[in-house]
Amino acid sequence: MTAAREERLRLDAASVDNARTTLLQLLARAGVYSGDAEELIGLVEAGALAVAHEELAGTGRQAPPGSGESYAAGWRDGSRAVAEGLAGLADRALGAAVAAEDDGERDARPPVGRMEVERAKVAVVPLYLSFSAESGLDPEVTEQVLAAVLATMGARERAAYPGRLTRFAADHRARLERLYATYGPGSAIAIHGRYTLVHSPTSLAVLERLAARPEELREEWDTAELPPAWLDGLTRAWEASA
């Protein structure tokens, strides 16, 4: 076997399944529920396919330099077919990972799962720390707030929420900097009271929902029996920081 041939070797299905099974067993030993582990691995697999599709749909469609028009046209058609196939695979993998049904169920809002809350925590904390020093709420309250936020979305939206949250923080960075400087940790505003939530990483997730789905957020907020003053205070701070 030549060196070039060895470089082209890829993992086969058995090898990939072995790695997956090994990871599941290691996570089980660490106390991670098998269903949660399967969901995380499924999201990584779906994400890998989505990234491959994005790359192929971009520069991957360009024929090699110097190709004739007929060759280039065939290259583009072939790349388009492969990209569409990858998009379909990524969509089905995501559906399997989040237990989505068919297209008609994509807007449904199933109960929020524990792993969805954990993923939201992992996403929101570093983003919050880019604006302010951390001063979180009680862990139980934090989970309640994030669960109310996630309850405004369908399963697929929750899977993609870290990306949406990152874009929100980038798009509104100047406004968020003013808000946290005025009302957050280190400001003259006390941590207890109407602006309590501004001192928590969860505030960033709540702000994103206030901008995107305010009615649904208030509905879920009331259902969770969270303090109305927290949401009202964050709303006022957001409006004042415009």
Side-chain angles (χ1 to χ4, degrees), residues 148-211:
V149 166
L150 293 168
T152 66
M153 312 173 215
R156 289 171 180 262
E157 289 179 292
R158 295 171 195 169
Y161 189 55
R164 183 184 184 101
L165 198 58
T166 300
R167 290 190 296 274
F168 172 79
D171 292 344
H172 300 280
R173 175 156 292 277
R175 185 175 182 181
L176 289 166
E177 287 175 345
R178 289 194 296 271
L179 184 149
Y180 286 114
T182 304
Y183 300 94
S187 70
I189 302 297
I191 188 172
H192 299 293
R194 181 177 297 277
Y195 299 105
T196 295
L197 207 62
V198 186
H199 294 250
S200 165
T202 61
S203 59
L204 192 58
V206 176
L207 284 168
E208 189 281 328
R209 290 290 89 185
L210 278 173

Side-chain angles (χ1 to χ4, degrees), residues 17-34:
D17 186 63
N18 172 266
R20 179 189 180 94
T21 302
T22 301
L23 182 55
L24 285 171
Q25 291 181 359
L26 290 172
L27 289 172
R29 292 175 198 170
V32 179
Y33 171 60
S34 61

Side-chain angles (χ1 to χ4, degrees), residues 1-18:
M1 183 179 293
T2 65
R5 173 58 179 164
E6 289 178 345
E7 290 176 0
R8 289 198 297 270
L9 286 175
R10 299 291 184 267
L11 292 179
D12 55 22
S15 299
V16 173
D17 186 63
N18 172 266

